[in-house]
Amino acid sequence: QKEVEQNSGPLSVPEGAIASLNCTYSDRGSQSFFWYRQYSGKSPELIMFIYSNGDKEDGRFTAQLNKASQYVSLLIRDSQPSDSATYLCAVISGGSNYKLTFGKGTLLTVNP
Amino acid sequence: EAGVAQSPRYKIIEKRQSVAFWCNPISGHATLYWYQQILGQGPKLLIQFQNNGVVDDSQLPKDRFSAERLKGVDSTLKIQPAKLEDSAVYLCASSLVVKETQYFGPGTRLLVL
């Protein structure tokens, strides 16, 4: 069973701080890694994706991937109350059908 | 560009009844997915279509769930008969091709009483 693990939280940070969200995965053949944000009662929306080891930055968001450690993270700089949501880590595992497996998500609360 | 459309948005049924959900993917997207998201969990893939062929349905409870994608565009997911544990949000997603980013519809919230 290919698994994606996340700390369910809640993770609480003050406004303006850096929020760090972490994810580990079990399948070494995993190829692509995604972070989705899901507001309460809404559907997931893509924040970032990363394919290669290292960092990828997009505005206030930075995704970090370490395939050797099977670890992917999302950093949110200058956190805003509007960032309060559940963040879902998702991984496309190796194999012919490129199945996307989600973690349970981490609930982030940014306090004004 | 229009997003993924789903209907209905909400549905309440009694156990043992049947229910059907509809999805219209983003225009031109060949791959369509149905996910089940139980409260507090991440989405779980039920079935994946490439055009109108099934790529993966390994987690679809085939004794009660069925899905089809006629003409490689719209798709329907059916539950018959429904159980209490089927209460969840059913999300449809599409991607241009497999491996590409998946975009989600608003979901259908199902409550089975």
Side-chain angles (χ1 to χ4, degrees), chain A residues 19-89:
Chain A
S20 178
L21 303 159
N22 305 315
C23 173
T24 58
Y25 58 94
S26 63
D27 180 14
R28 284 196 170 275
S30 297
Q31 304 177 16
S32 309
F33 308 85
F34 301 81
W35 284 100
Y36 283 83
R37 177 176 63 198
Q38 187 171 29
Y39 292 113
S40 181
K42 301 294 185 182
S43 60
E45 57 176 324
L46 181 71
I47 298 296
M48 291 192 69
F49 59 86
I50 186 167
Y51 301 144
S52 304
N53 274 331
D55 295 359
K56 180 181 179 182
E57 187 175 318
D58 183 0
R60 296 187 296 112
F61 299 94
T62 299
Q64 299 175 319
L65 175 61
N66 184 325
K67 288 187 176 181
S69 299
Q70 295 176 239
Y71 176 91
V72 58
S73 66
L74 180 69
L75 300 177
I76 307 175
R77 291 182 299 281
D78 187 24
S79 296
Q80 300 298 308
S82 58
D83 295 326
S84 297
T86 295
Y87 288 79
L88 297 164
C89 174

Side-chain angles (χ1 to χ4, degrees), chain A residues 1 31-32 34 36 38 40-46 49 51 88 92 96-100 102-105, chain B residues 9 35 37 40-45 48 55-56 58-59 91 98-107 109:
Chain A
Q1 180 77 1
Q31 304 177 16
S32 309
F34 301 81
Y36 283 83
Q38 187 171 29
S40 181
K42 301 294 185 182
S43 60
E45 57 176 324
L46 181 71
F49 59 86
Y51 301 144
L88 297 164
I92 288 184
S96 59
N97 63 355
Y98 304 108
K99 179 178 174 180
L100 188 65
F102 284 84
K104 292 184 178 181
Chain B
R9 295 294 308 278
Y35 289 88
Q37 187 174 24
Q41 304 286 321
K44 182 183 82 171
L45 179 69
Q48 175 181 337
V55 175
D56 187 330
S58 57
Q59 298 191 98
L91 295 163
V98 75
K99 281 183 70 174
E100 294 293 324
T101 299
Q102 296 182 25
Y103 297 92
F104 286 83
R109 292 182 173 275

